[in-house]
Amino acid sequence: MNTQLLLIQVFNGLVNGAFYALLSLGLAVIFGMLRIVNFMHGALYMLGAFTAFALGQAFGLGFWPALILAPLIVGVLGMVLERTLLSRLYGLEPSYNLLLTFGLTLLTQDLVKQVMLSQFAVSSAPYTTPDILTGVVNLGFVVFPKYRLFVIALTLVICLVVWFVIEKTRVGAIIRASTENPSVTRAFGIDVSKWVTGVFGVGVGLAGLAGVLAAPIYSVEPYMGAELIITTFAVVVIGGLGSILGSVVTGFAVGVLAAVGAAIYPPIANTLVFVLMAIVLLVRPSGLFGLPEGTR
């Protein structure tokens, strides 16, 4: 493999890693604050892409409005699901949440499939890249599509903003207090249930945002999140359950590892992340950046 091909694979890995980072960041926020295993995350990623596509078909909205509206719509849907369904399972075994979100995944995928076939007469559809982000950029050492560089840059900004809000602001302190010690938090007059719902909405909104960003690169189709979610769960485990920093760093690292591995020896590309997960669990069960359960 020559140097330029290796660099191209590294940048392609960073693009895939950006999607892993956004998805695992949403999962980390939800699990870290609510202790919910949200298997529906991949379907919500798909729903973000589909919503952007549907807004364009129905109302003529382009990429930029959809980049704002689609994650908001997905986030609101997530809050409705949390209030009406997930909240009824708090206090029960985590497997109940897992089974519920798995069932919702199947339902969402089938509904989107039916809508695409009945309303748009397609089973998958491309999504147009905005004109300002078409073309390539010569970085000196490699030529790379402008849109993919935008995805990497925007993801880094979003991840930094989420980390700063949760770790360094009063809002983040209230969120952490609402989930770590809700009874004391209520004593200060804070409505814990509203904060829990908001956190869940933000987490699934990040999945919707990842879907919108992925739409111009991949075709919009009902099962686009099915394989991605398995790798995303592996990323969360490797980084450390509930660790925001671990999710972001591991997301990008896994994306690069898989892309470079595919170039060197394609048959092993899809298993590298799970080999890494097994090694990490053997050496450090709490993940690279996670804390042991008793210290949370």
Side-chain angles (χ1 to χ4, degrees), residues 106-154:
L106 300 180
L107 177 63
T108 302
Q109 289 173 343
D110 192 57
L111 284 175
V112 170
K113 178 181 178 180
Q114 296 303 318
V115 170
M116 290 189 72
L117 288 174
S118 62
Q119 298 298 319
F120 306 114
V122 294
S123 58
S124 65
Y127 190 77
T128 306
T129 303
D131 292 339
I132 194 173
L133 295 176
T134 57
V136 298
V137 176
N138 190 340
L139 300 176
F141 51 89
V142 69
V143 176
F144 203 69
K146 188 184 298 184
Y147 179 76
R148 296 189 176 217
L149 291 174
F150 165 77
V151 169
I152 297 171
L154 181 62

Side-chain angles (χ1 to χ4, degrees), residues 213-248:
L213 291 175
I217 299 177
Y218 310 110
S219 293
V220 179
E221 57 96 11
Y223 304 102
M224 62 187 293
E227 293 184 6
L228 194 64
I229 190 61
I230 303 301
T231 304
T232 302
F233 271 110
V235 169
V236 173
V237 171
I238 294 169
L241 290 171
S243 171
I244 293 175
L245 177 61
S247 297
V248 175

Side-chain angles (χ1 to χ4, degrees), residues 46-72:
M46 174 275 294
L47 201 58
F50 171 73
T51 302
F53 168 75
L55 288 173
Q57 295 294 312
F59 304 105
L61 294 181
F63 174 81
W64 298 111
L67 188 63
I68 297 173
L69 290 176
L72 288 176

